[in-house]
Amino acid sequence: MPKLGMEPIRKAALVKAAIVEIGRAGSLDVTVGQIARRAGVSTALAHHYFGSKETLFLAAMRHVLALYGAEVRGALAVARGPRGRVQAIVAASFSPANFRREVVGAWLNFYVLAQTVPQARRLLTVYQRRLQSNLTHALRPLAGARAPDLALRLGALIDGVYLRQALTTDAPDGAAAVATVMAALDCALQEERS
Amino acid sequence: MPKLGMEPIRKAALVKAAIVEIGRAGSLDVTVGQIARRAGVSTALAHHYFGSKETLFLAAMRHVLALYGAEVRGALAVARGPRGRVQAIVAASFSPANFRREVVGAWLNFYVLAQTVPQARRLLTVYQRRLQSNLTHALRPLAGARAPDLALRLGALIDGVYLRQALTTDAPDGAAAVATVMAALDCALQEERS
DNA sequence: AGGTTAATTGACTTGTCAATCAACAAAAAC
DNA sequence: GTTTTTGTTGATTGACAAGTCAATTAACCT
């Protein structure tokens, strides 16, 4: 049965399964067995490729963060004008891919993981810094010296709206989320002009 | 050794110990043994009074939420003017008691608990609704019909700023947090006036 | 004094799960 | 055609933790 070149395929499947299981369970209390079963392999294989549950979790985090980063870059590439760039970042944060219940649940638990696992914290910190930096650059032409402060505010607002999604039973509404954040932006810009 | 009327004392001690341990561990992965030891009792006693780990966690949540609610009410009682009322709510959210690392860590994990335990979700939902309602009432004289929308935005911003505290290694800075939120408020009010 | 009740615990049961290991299958290399 | 490498798993181990129980101590009541 063994075919060659399985490693990347299995790893990818396990990472994806881990995200799904964490999202479904809404907790990091998922067994390697659950993840492996969903990926269609044995627990031993999961350990074979990742060495430990923690490593697998970290790989899952990296995957989610990478997806998000790619989405932001993609949206930025086609965005026009400073305000368009900000909107691109916000919209990417609430894109259907990132704003699904299971993904939000996984994010929430990655925050928890970051409390205990230094490497997880580092990953999240890097993400946050990059978001902050992206927002600041996009805001610079609009808000000048106040750009960093505004970026902080908008970044926190994005996180907050995201977090609240974890509580509501309703289906996620990305458009409404974007509208909320963009309204805050416009109000800040109006303040700027005056 | 047994003195009478221990129940409320033990329960309180266990609840407090649970919050501390959850905050310290940064995760719900704390054993009843750890909590009991910190409270100075045996694991059996913890089960005797609470019946299950989950019930103990729910009691801890209720305690944190009650503390927060009391702080908000207290601040509202002495606040003057509509803007003062908003500031009171915000300041209570970032008061030294609520903005300590361990408490923030506990909050974060209560969000996680709410993913799995319906009653935990109900508790958090009630808190959020009350915060929303308080903010809306305070904002009504300032923002009129836009009060609900603004309350939503400010509420999410509070949550976001709070969440970010869970990641930084720095000591919490409640004043800066309040400033961030109040800046957003002022900017929205300025928009209103124009 | 004797019975009831609250407080308290150590020992035990039961279950679970991460991680390991020994073994097997097939492709590749020689 | 044997040997090595890669993929794969069932079975096992060792640790740990939630929840139970029977037994103990002391206060309270009458």
Side-chain angles (χ1 to χ4, degrees):
Chain A
M1 255 184 231
K3 313 216 166 128
L4 280 245
M6 281 285 107
E7 175 159 351
I9 297 171
R10 294 304 191 201
K11 275 192 165 180
L14 282 164
V15 160
K16 217 170 162 186
I19 295 166
V20 171
E21 282 299 313
I22 292 173
R24 279 173 66 96
S27 136
L28 293 177
D29 251 323
V30 287
T31 72
V32 176
Q34 282 167 27
I35 297 170
R37 198 172 326 121
R38 178 166 295 268
V41 298
S42 72
T43 63
L45 197 68
H47 276 101
H48 174 63
Y49 280 131
F50 285 98
S52 77
K53 190 180 178 178
E54 187 179 301
T55 313
L56 174 53
F57 279 173
L58 285 173
M61 258 185 88
R62 257 184 236 108
H63 189 249
V64 169
L65 293 172
L67 275 190
Y68 172 71
E71 196 135 16
V72 169
R73 274 193 305 279
L76 275 180
V78 299
R80 276 296 153 203
R83 189 174 181 285
R85 294 176 72 79
V86 177
Q87 178 155 23
I89 296 170
V90 175
S93 302
F94 299 118
S95 79
N98 292 318
F99 206 41
R100 286 199 320 269
R101 163 158 302 281
E102 48 184 273
V103 178
V104 174
W107 267 96
L108 182 56
N109 279 284
F110 290 155
Y111 268 88
V112 169
L113 192 65
Q115 307 283 300
T116 9
V117 182
Q119 193 150 7
R121 176 182 299 236
R122 247 172 274 140
L123 284 175
L124 268 190
T125 306
V126 165
Y127 138 74
Q128 251 189 10
R129 270 210 249 286
R130 201 152 45 192
L131 170 64
Q132 214 63 24
S133 159
N134 280 336
L135 278 175
T136 307
H137 279 93
L139 287 168
R140 185 76 64 185
L142 295 169
R146 313 199 61 182
D149 259 18
L150 235 181
L152 191 78
R153 196 192 297 172
L154 286 186
L157 183 55
I158 290 173
D159 285 0
V161 172
Y162 208 86
L163 176 64
R164 287 182 164 217
Q165 182 58 39
L167 266 205
T168 66
T169 330
D170 319 339
D173 185 348
V178 173
T180 299
V181 178
M182 292 309 285
L185 167 67
D186 288 336
C187 123
L189 294 184
Q190 194 162 353
E191 182 183 43
E192 200 57 31
R193 255 183 242 119
S194 69
Chain B
M1 255 186 232
K3 312 211 167 132
L4 280 245
M6 282 284 105
E7 176 160 351
I9 297 171
R10 295 304 192 200
K11 275 192 166 181
L14 282 165
V15 161
K16 217 171 163 185
I19 294 166
V20 171
E21 282 299 313
I22 292 173
R24 279 173 65 97
S27 135
L28 294 176
D29 251 322
V30 288
T31 71
V32 176
Q34 280 167 29
I35 297 170
R37 199 170 327 122
R38 178 167 295 269
V41 299
S42 71
T43 63
L45 197 67
H47 277 102
H48 174 63
Y49 281 131
F50 285 97
S52 77
K53 191 180 176 177
E54 186 178 303
T55 314
L56 174 53
F57 279 173
L58 285 173
M61 260 185 86
R62 257 184 236 107
H63 188 248
V64 169
L65 292 172
L67 275 190
Y68 172 71
E71 197 136 13
V72 169
R73 275 193 303 279
L76 275 180
V78 299
R80 276 296 153 204
R83 190 176 181 283
R85 293 176 73 80
V86 177
Q87 179 154 23
I89 296 170
V90 176
S93 301
F94 300 118
S95 78
N98 291 319
F99 207 41
R100 285 197 322 268
R101 164 158 300 280
E102 48 184 274
V103 178
V104 175
W107 267 96
L108 182 55
N109 280 284
F110 291 155
Y111 268 88
V112 170
L113 193 64
Q115 306 284 300
T116 8
V117 183
Q119 193 151 6
R121 175 181 299 236
R122 247 171 273 140
L123 283 175
L124 268 190
T125 305
V126 165
Y127 138 75
Q128 253 190 9
R129 272 211 247 284
R130 199 153 47 192
L131 169 63
Q132 215 63 23
S133 159
N134 280 334
L135 278 174
T136 307
H137 277 94
L139 286 169
R140 185 75 66 185
L142 296 168
R146 310 199 62 183
D149 260 17
L150 235 181
L152 191 79
R153 196 192 298 173
L154 286 187
L157 184 55
I158 291 174
D159 285 359
V161 172
Y162 207 87
L163 176 64
R164 289 182 162 218
Q165 181 59 38
L167 266 206
T168 67
T169 332
D170 319 339
D173 184 348
V178 173
T180 298
V181 179
M182 291 310 285
L185 167 67
D186 287 336
C187 124
L189 295 185
Q190 193 162 353
E191 183 183 41
E192 199 58 32
R193 254 181 244 119
S194 67

